Amino acid sequence: MTRGRLRVYLGSAPGVGKTYAMLCEGRRGLERGRDVVVGFVETHGRTRTAALLDGVEVIPRQSMLYRGSTFTELDVDAVIARAPRVALIDELAHTNVPGSRNVKRWQDIDDILDAGIDVISTVNIQHLESVNDVVQEITGVPQRETVPDEVVRRADQVELVDMSPEALRRRMAHGNVYAPEKVDAALANYFRVGNLTALRELALLWVAGKVDDQLDRYRADHGIAATWEARERVVVALTGGPEGDTLVRRAARIAARSKGADLLAVHVTSSDGLAGGDPATLARQRTLVENMGGTYHQVVGDDIPGALLEFARGVNATQLVLGASRRGRFAQILSRGVGVETTARSGSIDVHMITHAEAKKGRRRPSRSRAALTRKRRLTGWAMAVAGMPLLTAILSVFRDELSLPSEILFFLVMTVGVALAGGMWPAITAAVGGSLLLNWYFTPPIGEFTISDPENLFALVVFVVVAVAVSTIVDIAARRTREAARARADAEVLSTLAGHVLRGEAAVPSLLSRLRETFGLSSVTLLEHVGKPGPEDQAQPESWRIVATSGGAPCTSPSSGDTDVTIDDTLVLAVRGRLLDASDRRVLEAFAAETAIALRQQRLEEEAELAKPLAEADRMRTALLAAVSHDLRTPLASAKAAVESLANTEVDWSDEDRAELLETADESLAKLDRLVANLLDMSRLQAGVLGLALEPVALEEVVPRAVDDLGPFCDRIDGDIPVDLPEVVADPALLERVLVNLMSNAVRYSPPDQQVVVTASWHGENVEVRVIDRGPGIPPEAHDRVFLPFQRLGDRDNHSGVGLGLALSRGLAEAMGGTLVPDETPGGGLTMTLTLPLATPARSRPVEESA
């Protein structure tokens, strides 16, 4: 069955109209005769959005009972059973109610896509996992519902729904996004022009990255090698020399001139080791590149200019930064050099030649590379053998009367050894045989004939040939071993780079595949997983394989569709396209494949652990609740029951004082029981995210006295100092009172009996701060966050201090009301709990939540 296609409308901010755009697309599909249904759409009470549902089939939602409340979720089975051509499903990042088919809605959509149904969905930029922390820093609002970026990147189409900040604010002011009572608060906080501008830029940059991927895939599929200057990309070539720091900084300045330009550094490791750089220098320069916001890459190539340009064209680079040659004048006369050759072959890519302090100082090559038999050296050897021997013969013929035959043989031997050192075995053997013939004809009596009259001369010629062959053989073996060592060094550098990426946390499967494609200059790299039980004929069957991840152009759909494939295990195969790899390259490919499999397993384990977190949290909550019921709830219940049973005993004649004392005991125990139950219920609602809020302007001088009265016999331990001119705050009056009661009771519990707990409040900018100050033992700074964990008490030293929910519940309620709760040390000893709440003035209030 063919998998369905996913289309995602990505919103730059809540309220830009992505749900409206999705419904409009659905209605256009209906008009074209397509079978379109609504799987799940949240209109948020917007009339124009709701009007688009008229005439569209809506799949009934699934009702879920959770903790005494009824919720509705997407009915995946009903959508699959209905089998429409297209399903409209809103809010891709939504978290389902516990007990649903999947934890997240994007997983529901995956199941529907697997059933061959196309899906159109929506998501806001702030819900993408990679930018979640950035959005919280910008807006101050945490987003608890996120979706992995890879889910959206895998979509067949991603369409940005954008709107200028001013237009969105006008839309909100007209009541098209939120209810009228929430508009002023939203405009003053989350929907400020600065926030919306930053969110818009995040969305544009993210979509630009997605477009880059699509452009790369299109160019690879159509074999387009020419550079398309759709976006500035600056590539800087590093040799591992000291000039690299200068080049990186210069390239960074060039990239900075174009907003949004990419900086990429590349080092070419030649398979013969000629271009090897200092690993320590390269590591330092890689860190420098990454600190400047760029990326570091390493490729293998014998032709350095070709490898540089192939990489640059592969990433669609527009500019290439090279350093001025370190070779001397004489060397530049003999060879054009990498810079000149790259410039001549660059085509549409702009090449910058940067001068530096090391220019023209000469370049010392690694000693081991001198013995490597490059093509240039072999040609030199043949030239010496073919032209050098006749030239030597001509020169020695002039001095024939002054030189003896042994001296002439030594001259020819020196020439033959030179040919062997330069060109290896075959040029040397050719020189030896040719030299022996020339010696015989021109210098061995009788001259002019291929005969030898003196046996000693015959022996000398034989020794000459043997020495030439022996020397050339040794040179050839040494060159071969040097080439193998250089190749091993190049492979080791590639694997070292791979290990560096893994150690820096870049071991995600797509990253590894991208590194592999860049390293060997491949057109595509695909990780395939077998579907079902492996069979002997599955290598060429695309339906037997599932693409786990891919990088580059058209992916391989089966192992046999690639140029090279590596079997990782019974189910995983890595297939590559672009060129056939030799045995040494295949060894590196196998190392990449093994690391990719490990990264895939780690990724899946992390996903399983993420799915298990809610279950573990629920289990921990359940265990803690049972512990609370077994002791903390039972104690006040037992006290109240004992008091009531005593009062109900008609056989005892209680005095008025005894009866009043028993009634007081029962009242205190039941009040404690009521508080504990209320805390437990509120904490469970917070954990489930279903706590109801009724935010309104609240005067602290009215709430604080009520909270003090709720402390009962401990109310005398509180000293309040609330200014009467303090402005109102936005809060839920009942929940704010609950927070203050918990903070004050906690402070009283840990304060010495002779010390008062002080409650003060003050106005700072757009917020009001309420401080509850005690003189108790305090909390070490390293334990400040730990005390807010549910069912935790400082030190857990006793079983009589309550269930440990007070501070955890207080922070949760404070954050639900848009405030914060932080601990601090009291000067002179003790703990100060600071509750911060936003002002209630229209220009400074805060929305309850920011939803799409």
Side-chain angles (χ1 to χ4, degrees):
M1 179 181 295
T2 304
R3 179 178 167 88
R5 296 172 61 83
L6 174 62
R7 180 173 184 173
V8 175
Y9 283 97
L10 176 66
S12 59
V16 294
K18 62 187 183 303
T19 302
Y20 188 88
M22 178 186 69
L23 290 174
C24 288
E25 178 63 25
R27 295 189 70 88
R28 284 192 293 270
L30 283 174
E31 293 171 359
R32 291 191 295 266
R34 303 188 75 187
D35 184 12
V36 180
V37 302
V38 171
F40 190 101
V41 166
E42 184 60 66
T43 64
H44 297 288
R46 298 162 191 168
T47 55
R48 295 184 61 192
T49 303
L52 292 175
L53 292 173
D54 293 341
V56 184
E57 180 183 351
V58 179
I59 301 296
R61 300 184 184 185
Q62 181 183 14
S63 296
M64 305 286 297
L65 186 64
Y66 181 68
R67 294 185 177 179
S69 300
T70 301
F71 302 89
T72 59
E73 294 289 358
L74 169 67
D75 194 336
V76 180
D77 295 325
V79 174
I80 295 176
R82 169 63 177 76
R85 186 69 188 87
V86 180
L88 309 180
I89 302 175
D90 208 0
E91 297 183 352
L92 183 67
H94 173 73
T95 301
N96 294 328
V97 173
S100 301
R101 173 175 175 146
N102 294 301
V103 176
K104 303 289 288 187
R105 182 163 293 163
W106 64 263
Q107 296 168 326
D108 294 339
I109 291 177
D110 255 356
D111 292 344
I112 296 173
L113 292 171
D114 288 338
I117 302 171
D118 293 349
V119 175
I120 303 178
S121 188
T122 65
V123 70
N124 274 335
I125 186 64
Q126 70 263 27
H127 294 298
L128 295 182
E129 185 66 49
S130 64
V131 299
N132 181 255
D133 55 341
V134 179
V135 172
Q136 181 174 351
E137 183 177 351
I138 292 170
T139 64
V141 178
Q143 302 294 334
R144 295 179 175 84
E145 292 187 330
T146 59
V147 60
D149 289 47
E150 187 60 28
V151 173
V152 185
R153 288 193 183 279
R154 286 201 307 261
D156 299 280
Q157 295 182 56
V158 176
E159 184 171 335
L160 178 65
V161 182
D162 188 25
M163 185 178 293
S164 68
E166 293 77 12
L168 180 55
R169 286 170 60 86
R170 285 196 303 270
R171 187 166 182 253
M172 291 195 63
H174 294 157
N176 295 330
V177 179
Y178 287 143
E181 62 272 14
K182 294 183 178 180
V183 170
D184 289 340
L187 291 175
N189 290 271
Y190 192 92
F191 289 86
R192 293 195 296 265
V193 173
N195 290 357
L196 296 177
T197 303
L199 291 175
R200 191 184 190 195
E201 183 174 8
L202 283 175
L204 290 170
L205 290 175
W206 195 95
V207 173
K210 169 69 174 176
V211 173
D212 283 342
D213 294 340
Q214 292 176 330
L215 180 60
D216 291 343
R217 189 176 299 113
Y218 178 85
R219 295 174 72 242
D221 291 344
H222 293 77
I224 299 173
T227 300
W228 286 4
E229 299 185 19
R231 181 177 180 180
E232 289 289 341
R233 285 184 177 85
V234 181
V235 173
V236 54
L238 301 178
T239 64
E243 76 281 0
D245 294 7
T246 302
L247 299 184
V248 170
R249 292 187 175 93
R250 182 75 172 112
R253 290 196 296 272
I254 293 174
R257 294 171 185 168
S258 300
K259 189 172 181 61
D262 294 332
L263 173 64
L264 303 92
V266 60
H267 170 65
V268 179
T269 300
S270 177
S271 59
D272 61 7
L274 290 178
D278 182 13
T281 302
L282 284 172
R284 189 186 72 252
Q285 291 169 359
R286 177 173 56 196
T287 303
L288 177 62
V289 170
E290 292 172 348
N291 288 342
M292 292 184 173
T295 56
Y296 176 85
H297 308 266
Q298 185 163 307
V299 298
V300 176
D302 293 325
D303 179 13
I304 296 176
L308 282 175
L309 291 172
E310 184 178 356
F311 173 83
R313 293 190 178 105
V315 298
N316 203 24
T318 56
Q319 302 185 63
L320 180 61
V321 177
L322 302 175
S325 178
R326 285 188 283 158
R327 301 157 65 248
R329 290 182 182 273
F330 183 72
Q332 292 184 34
I333 294 174
L334 296 178
S335 174
R336 298 174 69 182
V338 173
V340 177
E341 186 68 24
T342 304
T343 304
R345 296 158 56 182
S346 63
S348 60
I349 301 176
D350 297 336
V351 179
H352 301 264
M353 296 292 293
I354 307 300
T355 59
H356 50 83
E358 302 295 322
K360 295 186 179 181
K361 286 188 176 181
R363 178 175 178 179
R364 186 176 59 193
R365 297 188 176 208
S367 58
R368 78 173 82 183
S369 65
R370 292 180 181 175
L373 290 180
T374 62
R375 182 173 179 271
K376 182 178 179 180
R377 288 185 55 182
R378 291 196 301 271
L379 292 176
T380 302
W382 282 110
M384 293 174 63
V386 173
M389 286 299 182
L391 180 63
L392 178 63
T393 301
I395 295 173
L396 292 179
S397 297
V398 178
F399 302 98
R400 181 183 298 157
D401 297 335
E402 287 80 9
L403 296 174
S404 63
L405 180 61
S407 298
E408 293 163 343
I409 290 176
L410 287 176
F411 276 108
F412 273 87
L413 181 61
V414 169
M415 174 64 74
T416 303
V417 171
V419 172
L421 292 174
M425 178 181 292
W426 295 110
I429 292 176
T430 301
V433 174
S436 65
L437 294 176
L438 291 172
L439 278 168
N440 190 356
W441 181 270
Y442 287 101
F443 301 103
T444 304
I447 296 173
E449 299 180 10
F450 286 112
T451 58
I452 302 175
S453 59
D454 190 346
E456 291 185 2
N457 294 338
L458 176 63
F459 176 75
L461 287 174
V462 171
V463 170
F464 164 69
V465 173
V466 170
V467 170
V469 172
V471 171
S472 63
T473 301
I474 293 173
V475 170
D476 190 73
I477 293 173
R480 191 179 300 112
R481 296 292 181 265
T482 302
R483 176 177 291 276
E484 293 173 356
R487 180 68 190 190
R489 173 188 174 186
D491 293 344
E493 289 184 2
V494 171
L495 294 175
S496 173
T497 303
L498 170 64
H501 292 304
V502 173
L503 291 174
R504 290 193 302 276
E506 299 180 19
V509 175
S511 174
L512 287 173
L513 297 186
S514 178
R515 296 289 177 184
L516 175 59
R517 181 174 61 84
E518 294 169 355
T519 298
F520 292 106
L522 301 168
S523 60
S524 72
V525 180
T526 307
L527 181 62
L528 299 169
E529 184 174 32
H530 198 281
V531 178
K533 186 177 180 181
E537 300 180 355
D538 289 345
Q539 295 297 309
Q541 304 296 327
E543 61 271 12
S544 300
W545 299 91
R546 183 177 69 88
I547 297 177
V548 177
T550 185
S551 175
C556 302
T557 55
S558 65
S560 61
S561 64
D563 295 321
T564 305
D565 65 270
V566 173
T567 301
I568 301 175
D569 55 28
D570 293 339
T571 59
L572 292 175
V573 172
L574 188 67
V576 304
R577 279 179 177 167
R579 63 185 179 92
L580 293 174
L581 301 180
D582 57 29
S584 58
D585 286 338
R586 188 179 177 88
R587 287 195 298 270
V588 179
L589 181 67
E590 290 172 349
F592 268 95
E595 187 61 40
T596 302
I598 294 173
L600 177 62
R601 295 187 184 100
Q602 181 180 359
Q603 175 181 314
R604 288 180 172 175
L605 287 174
E606 289 175 353
E607 291 174 356
E608 292 176 3
E610 196 66 28
L611 293 176
K613 277 184 180 180
L615 298 177
E617 184 66 23
D619 185 68
R620 192 180 73 85
M621 178 71 72
R622 189 181 301 109
T623 302
L625 284 172
L626 290 174
V629 170
S630 66
H631 180 274
D632 296 281
L633 296 181
R634 188 172 58 186
T635 300
L637 184 61
S639 300
K641 182 179 179 182
V644 172
E645 288 179 349
S646 298
L647 290 171
N649 189 349
T650 57
E651 297 180 359
V652 179
D653 186 16
W654 301 101
S655 65
D656 292 341
E657 293 181 357
D658 293 336
R659 188 177 300 276
E661 185 177 351
L662 289 172
L663 286 172
E664 184 178 357
T665 299
D667 182 63
E668 291 177 0
S669 299
L670 291 174
K672 183 178 181 180
L673 182 63
D674 180 67
R675 286 196 301 272
L676 289 173
V677 171
N679 283 347
L680 289 171
L681 291 176
D682 284 344
M683 180 55 68
S684 66
R685 293 192 186 99
L686 275 175
Q687 295 286 339
V690 295
L691 182 68
L693 294 176
L695 299 186
E696 60 184 57
V698 176
L700 285 175
E701 64 267 22
E702 297 177 1
V703 177
V704 173
R706 292 202 303 266
V708 174
D709 293 339
D710 287 344
L711 294 177
F714 300 111
C715 63
D716 294 337
R717 298 280 306 278
I718 305 297
D719 281 344
D721 183 17
I722 308 298
V724 294
D725 58 345
L726 201 66
E728 293 181 330
V729 297
V730 174
D732 184 307
L735 295 184
L736 176 57
E737 185 176 337
R738 177 77 56 80
V739 171
L740 293 174
V741 169
N742 285 338
L743 294 179
M744 289 187 290
S745 61
N746 186 74
V748 169
R749 182 182 302 116
Y750 288 101
S751 291
D754 58 341
Q755 293 288 338
Q756 293 290 101
V757 173
V758 179
V759 180
T760 66
S762 56
W763 178 13
H764 299 277
E766 299 183 354
N767 300 296
V768 170
E769 294 181 354
V770 181
R771 293 179 176 81
V772 180
I773 307 168
D774 67 54
R775 293 294 179 177
I779 300 176
E782 62 272 12
H784 279 179
D785 289 333
R786 196 168 67 245
V787 297
F788 291 106
L789 296 176
F791 307 104
Q792 295 290 322
R793 292 184 297 271
L794 180 60
D796 286 338
R797 292 185 293 265
D798 62 75
N799 295 323
H800 306 284
S801 303
V803 293
L805 277 176
L807 292 181
L809 178 61
S810 298
R811 170 173 274 189
L813 295 178
E815 292 177 349
M817 293 185 292
T820 60
L821 180 63
V822 295
D824 198 2
E825 296 181 5
T826 301
L831 178 69
T832 297
M833 300 297 296
T834 303
L835 172 65
T836 303
L837 295 169
L839 295 178
T841 55
R844 296 174 178 174
S845 57
R846 184 187 188 94
V848 178
E849 58 177 330
E850 310 300 345
S851 59

